[in-house]
Amino acid sequence: MFRTALRNVLAHKGRLLMTALAVMLGTAFVAGTMVFSDTLGQAMKNSYSKSYSDVSVLVTDDSAGSGASARDRSEATKSELTKETVDRIAALPGAARVQGVVGGFTGVADRKGALIGEAFQARGSNFTPDATGQDGRYPMAEGRGPQKSGEIALDQETASSGGFKVGDTVRIAGNGPAVDAKLTGVFTTDDPQVTSGGTLTLMDTASAQRFLLTPGQFSSITVQAKPGVAQGALLTEVRAALPQDARFTVETGEQLTADQTKMISAGMSGMKTMLLAFAGISLFVGIFIIANTFTMLVAQRTKELALLRAVGAGRWQVTRSVLVEALVIGATASVAGLLAGIGIGAGMQSLIKALSSGMPTGSLVVAPVTVAVALVVGVLVTVLSAVLPAVRASRVAPVAAMSSGDQPSTQKSLLIRNIIGSVVAAGGFALILGGAATGGENGRYLIGGGAPFALIGIFVLLPLLSRPVIALVGPLLARLFGTPGKLARRNAVRNPRRTATTAAALTIGLTLVSAMTVLGASVGGAVDRIVTKGMVADYNVTTANRMGMSPELAADVAKAPGVAASSPLTNVYWTLDDRMSAISGVDATSLDKLLDLTMDSGSANALSRGQILVSSERAKSANLAVGSAVKVNYGDGSTGTVTVGGVFQPIDLLSGTVMSNAEITKHSPEDVDIRDVLVRGADGATAALQQSIKDATGRNPVIEVKSQADMKEEYSKIISFALNMMYGLLAMSVLVAVLGVINTLAMSVFERKREIGMLRAIGLDRSGIKRMVRLESVVISLFGATIGVLLGVFLAWALNDTLGSSIPGLVTELPYGQLLLFLLLAGLVGLVAALWPARRASKLDILESIKTD
């Protein structure tokens, strides 16, 4: 029987090719994902391990940095890292070299005034030369390090991106006004934050402290241990030298490296899980192809299997014979998939490197677990998919050797299948509906648990659904395509199991694609409404890093030519009625020109009388109404009472409590955090006004001037990027589904050779045969796609109901154009998949086909 199994594999090479390809693609996806994530993870660990290679102990001042308010910094004087602190640590017996480090956000403008790189990776630091005038952390490739105010050095990549050379004037900015500086040097560094695409600007220590922190202050201190001194022992010495009440974090270089490695591993694990989930989808789709292939092979070999039973082969021997075929195919395809996966991993690494030149790279990592998982998964999926066809093969009666043709499924088996499918689908849909009604995170868990059952139940019911659904298009096919169209419809419903199994592969892909598309459209529409809700200003001025801007910048914006009204949106955190609360500030005199608040009660003009406005959510939770008195603990330590002057509908730009800027600055001007400045133009939103505002900030590269359309587009790009990434990952499963359609049609053509020969004999020409096969493929593909789109829309609707509390105004929006496009693409997929089988069917010899057994 083993030799028989091997002979069958070799005898049906063409028929099994598509099955092997499906297994290979799924396995390659799994292997490629593991190779890529392991390689990138190892490269990142190797790169980031250099961050603390020269650090034995790192002391960090948690209060220092450009994100802290001026008042925070002034109150932290006793706990700041100063020159005295550096000298005290340098005098420790175990310390060999001690450096005070200044760090903070610093943006660099290119020659057009635009920010180089991403704002969140733009940093500034201090250049600390030794006796030779060099800083070992930043070797100079050109020029020298900065020595006085007005001089800077840039990393090589930033200098190259901006087209700067030593001696050029470069514009830089923190969270205040932009300044010009002379470029004195270009340096190299293996700092992973720089090599991964960030920018680094070096200044002399005094300038860096004035620009990034406060004079005399360091943000951290690095300590190198003397030879033979353990990092733990040095850490104990350093802690003893620091004030006991200081807000310092003291860690060893080993601990910092371990924490960073752990963080990278966690990040890579999440990415690997997501990629493996999509690889699993591809393998799941492959299961239908494999099962369909072996089912058809068993049907085609009915006489052969019956003869084996007649000459003494037992049921287990026949079952084992089919499973051995699956094992051979699975093993061969898995090895090929592993090799292809290594290539995919290398290709993904090259792609990431091309898209982000700063990404770390290294040699490919092919771990033993990757080899084992790829081989085991491929073989296991193939063999398990062949179990049911193998069992059916063992049930072929010996008497079947005296007849030919398929042994049709009994009505009893179809009835049992439909009952099981109905029960499973009903359970899945009940969980999904329950999740939609529950809402929130718990509701999403219910939907996540019910979706697989609903999918499986629908798959089981597809044979039942195929007849009535395909029958709907029967008259249209006959009217448009005549006899080939009528024959195509009949062929599609002749074997409901086969049609359902072929269509199921496309159903999976279209369910996920349509669900994500509807979710994206719904969330995108809600975000569009939220982002600019209540905003009547023409522009919103913000910083690229979303950190606070200086009051000077806000004042400069107000003075720009063409500005009719403006107001900084300030933020403070004060205690209201014994509860810490976020308070938004706005200029009372400009409010009606910049924001359109929907008032439930009271009036927005109450701000000019020193009263506050509260959102309806805040009013409900704190039991407030117009006229309510609220006790306030101001930032300057004083207390008072304010009156609620109005209740408004919440908007994204404001917190739950609003106060006039005049009242906020009266009690604590140092606490004010400005994140946005709203601007209304005398002539509306014009390009001239936008440029005028930008010019007023001194062409500051950190400042962004966004119209309402720009704000919407920014969020739309994020959603579009996420959707496109998902579409790309699902492309593999769609490709596997296409192989399934090709496989089914090719084997169906072989199975119907006599029928095709008879059709040719009675006058159906070659083009008619081709048209029949193509239409059959299109009908099956559209059937699967339609079920998938409907199921995807239903899942998206249920998920939207659970997101309503998190995203106000979220309603299910159906992008009809995109959903229709998906159906058209599914039809195109069916048409392309049928090209080879249709051509093969049209070339069959009439006489040889008619005499086929």
Side-chain angles (χ1 to χ4, degrees):
M1 295 301 294
F2 182 73
R3 286 196 299 271
T4 300
L6 292 180
R7 180 185 61 79
N8 285 329
V9 171
L10 296 174
H12 303 122
K13 294 187 292 293
R15 289 181 242 171
L16 295 172
L17 177 61
M18 297 300 173
T19 299
L21 279 175
V23 177
M24 187 195 77
L25 286 174
T27 308
F29 203 163
V30 172
T33 294
M34 299 182 74
V35 169
F36 168 69
S37 53
D38 289 345
T39 300
L40 184 59
Q42 188 60 51
M44 291 182 70
K45 289 176 185 177
N46 292 340
S47 175
Y48 278 86
S49 66
K50 300 174 184 177
S51 298
Y52 306 107
S53 58
D54 296 328
V55 177
S56 300
V57 173
L58 179 69
V59 183
T60 306
D61 183 354
D62 297 331
S63 67
S66 55
S69 69
R71 182 169 178 271
D72 287 337
R73 296 180 210 162
S74 63
E75 288 187 346
T77 302
K78 294 181 180 180
S79 63
E80 288 175 349
L81 299 177
T82 62
K83 181 68 166 59
E84 290 73 18
T85 313
V86 174
D87 292 340
R88 194 182 313 124
I89 295 175
L92 295 174
R97 177 176 169 81
V98 180
Q99 283 184 300
V101 179
V102 181
F105 169 78
T106 304
V108 182
D110 61 18
R111 294 191 180 278
K112 296 181 179 179
L115 183 69
I116 297 176
E118 294 293 333
F120 295 101
Q121 290 184 293
R123 296 188 302 120
S125 189
N126 60 318
F127 181 77
T128 310
D130 55 20
T132 66
Q134 301 295 319
D135 187 334
R137 299 171 299 171
Y138 310 112
M140 288 293 155
E142 300 176 45
R144 60 171 175 81
Q147 298 174 350
K148 60 183 180 179
S149 177
E151 295 183 345
I152 63 167
L154 294 175
D155 65 274
Q156 276 186 322
E157 187 62 35
T158 302
S160 176
S161 298
F164 297 123
K165 296 180 180 179
V166 172
D168 287 347
T169 298
V170 181
R171 199 161 186 76
I172 62 172
N175 293 322
V179 297
D180 291 328
K182 181 181 179 181
L183 181 65
T184 63
V186 176
F187 61 89
T188 61
T189 178
D190 57 3
D191 184 335
Q193 286 188 294
V194 179
T195 57
S196 62
T199 63
L200 179 59
T201 305
L202 297 181
M203 295 163 260
D204 66 280
T205 298
S207 298
Q209 289 174 332
R210 286 194 304 271
F211 193 78
L212 300 173
L213 303 174
T214 55
Q217 183 189 48
F218 295 102
S219 52
S220 63
I221 297 176
T222 62
V223 188
Q224 282 182 280
K226 288 181 178 178
V229 177
Q231 292 189 4
L234 180 60
L235 180 139
T236 302
E237 290 184 18
V238 171
R239 276 183 174 162
L242 295 172
Q244 297 303 309
D245 60 345
R247 292 178 290 182
F248 296 150
T249 300
V250 186
E251 297 174 282
T252 64
E254 293 169 348
Q255 182 60 48
L256 289 166
T257 301
D259 290 343
Q260 202 158 54
T261 300
K262 184 178 179 181
M263 180 184 67
I264 292 171
S265 298
M268 296 306 300
S269 174
M271 183 185 70
K272 182 189 288 189
T273 300
M274 182 187 71
L275 291 173
L276 286 176
F278 284 92
I281 292 170
S282 297
L283 285 170
F284 186 56
V285 172
I287 288 174
F288 293 93
I289 299 174
I290 299 164
N292 208 17
T293 300
F294 278 95
T295 297
M296 296 176 73
L297 286 175
V298 167
Q300 292 172 11
R301 285 158 42 198
T302 298
K303 183 175 293 187
E304 175 188 330
L305 295 172
L307 285 171
L308 288 174
R309 292 293 312 283
V311 298
R315 286 191 171 186
W316 167 240
Q317 287 179 300
V318 173
T319 301
R320 187 169 57 188
S321 172
V322 177
L323 293 179
V324 167
E325 289 184 50
L327 180 63
V328 172
I329 294 169
T332 305
S334 298
V335 171
L338 173 62
L339 297 176
I342 295 173
I344 290 174
M348 291 174 71
Q349 186 186 22
S350 299
L351 178 62
I352 292 294
K353 180 67 176 177
L355 295 175
S356 179
S357 58
M359 287 297 291
T361 58
S363 56
L364 282 180
V365 178
V366 185
V369 67
T370 299
V371 177
V373 168
L375 296 179
V376 170
V377 166
V379 171
L380 200 61
V381 166
T382 310
V383 173
L384 290 178
S385 301
V387 167
L388 285 178
V391 171
R392 290 197 193 102
S394 69
R395 293 176 179 173
V396 176
V399 72
M402 294 180 290
S403 62
S404 62
D406 295 348
Q407 289 185 319
S409 302
T410 64
Q411 291 299 319
K412 180 181 178 181
S413 67
L414 289 175
L415 178 62
I416 294 173
R417 175 179 178 136
N418 292 336
I419 292 174
I420 294 174
S422 300
V423 171
V424 174
F429 282 115
L431 285 173
I432 293 172
L433 291 172
T438 302
E441 188 175 0
N442 292 332
R444 289 192 286 275
Y445 284 136
L446 286 174
I447 293 172
F453 288 104
L455 269 172
I456 293 171
I458 290 295
F459 293 158
V460 175
L461 290 173
L462 280 177
L464 177 66
L465 297 173
S466 64
R467 289 185 181 276
V469 173
I470 295 177
L472 292 175
V473 299
L476 181 63
L477 288 175
R479 187 177 301 111
L480 293 177
F481 302 102
T483 300
K486 187 182 297 185
L487 291 171
R489 184 195 68 80
R490 290 180 178 177
N491 289 334
V493 298
R494 174 188 295 177
N495 192 327
R497 287 179 185 270
R498 185 182 305 158
T499 297
T501 307
T502 306
L506 283 170
T507 299
I508 298 170
L510 267 296
T511 296
L512 296 173
V513 168
S514 56
M516 289 188 300
T517 301
V518 174
L519 278 172
S522 303
V523 172
V527 169
D528 275 356
R529 292 187 291 272
I530 292 171
V531 167
T532 58
K533 181 182 179 182
M535 176 178 167
V536 293
D538 296 315
Y539 290 102
N540 184 18
V541 183
T542 63
T543 56
N545 59 355
R546 293 304 296 161
M547 295 180 69
M549 67 178 74
S550 66
E552 293 84 359
L553 277 175
D556 291 339
V557 169
K559 298 173 185 176
V563 173
S566 74
S567 170
L569 297 185
T570 59
N571 293 279
V572 291
Y573 287 87
W574 292 343
T575 302
L576 301 178
D577 282 342
D578 300 321
R579 187 175 75 175
M580 183 62 70
S581 303
I583 302 173
S584 294
V586 62
D587 289 348
T589 56
S590 305
L591 175 63
D592 60 335
K593 302 180 183 69
L594 304 172
L595 293 172
D596 181 19
L597 297 183
T598 302
M599 304 299 297
D600 290 343
S601 58
S603 170
N605 294 328
L607 287 179
S608 60
R609 299 192 295 271
Q611 298 179 340
I612 63 173
L613 307 179
V614 295
S615 69
S616 55
E617 294 175 349
R618 165 81 171 158
K620 182 179 180 181
S621 63
N623 195 26
L624 298 175
V626 173
S628 297
V630 179
K631 185 175 71 173
V632 185
N633 287 49
Y634 296 108
D636 58 5
S638 63
T639 60
T641 302
V642 293
T643 304
V644 175
V647 178
F648 65 94
Q649 287 295 314
I651 64 173
D652 192 55
L653 289 168
L654 300 176
S655 63
T657 305
V658 181
M659 187 179 289
S660 72
N661 281 331
E663 290 295 315
I664 290 177
T665 54
K666 182 193 301 183
H667 292 284
S668 190
E670 298 88 358
D671 278 342
V672 175
D673 180 22
I674 303 174
R675 298 296 174 94
D676 304 87
V677 177
L678 298 182
V679 177
R680 181 78 173 266
D683 300 318
T686 64
L689 175 61
Q690 191 172 27
Q691 187 60 48
S692 173
I693 296 170
K694 187 73 174 176
D695 292 341
T697 66
R699 295 183 295 109
N700 192 316
V702 179
I703 297 299
E704 296 181 341
V705 184
K706 300 177 182 177
S707 65
Q708 294 191 32
D710 294 333
M711 295 168 68
K712 291 179 179 180
E713 184 181 1
E714 182 179 2
Y715 286 93
S716 296
K717 284 181 178 178
I718 297 173
I719 295 172
S720 297
F721 175 78
L723 285 176
N724 290 335
M725 184 177 67
M726 295 297 181
Y727 293 155
L729 292 172
L730 282 171
M732 183 69 76
S733 61
V734 174
L735 178 58
V736 174
V738 172
L739 291 176
V741 177
I742 296 173
N743 195 25
T744 301
L745 289 174
M747 299 184 72
S748 179
V749 166
F750 177 85
E751 196 175 59
R752 302 199 316 253
K753 285 175 68 176
R754 177 181 292 176
E755 174 189 321
I756 293 171
M758 291 295 295
L759 289 172
R760 289 292 313 282
I762 62 175
L764 191 62
D765 58 13
R766 290 178 184 266
S767 62
I769 295 293
K770 287 182 182 180
R771 194 176 299 117
M772 177 188 71
V773 176
R774 290 170 185 165
L775 288 173
E776 179 183 351
S777 176
V778 170
V779 167
I780 293 174
S781 298
L782 285 176
F783 165 64
T786 301
I787 299 297
V789 167
L790 293 175
L791 191 55
V793 169
F794 175 71
L795 287 174
W797 166 81
L799 283 170
N800 280 339
D801 274 12
T802 68
L803 295 171
S805 58
S806 305
I807 308 177
L810 177 66
V811 294
T812 301
E813 297 184 15
L814 298 182
Y816 294 103
Q818 286 178 275
L819 296 178
L820 180 60
L821 178 62
F822 293 153
L823 293 176
L824 292 176
L825 289 175
L828 182 62
V829 163
L831 187 62
V832 172
L835 291 178
W836 177 62
R839 185 169 180 271
R840 182 184 178 192
S842 67
K843 290 191 172 183
L844 290 176
D845 183 86
I846 297 176
L847 294 179
E848 288 186 3
S849 299
I850 292 175
K851 68 179 182 180
T852 300
D853 290 334

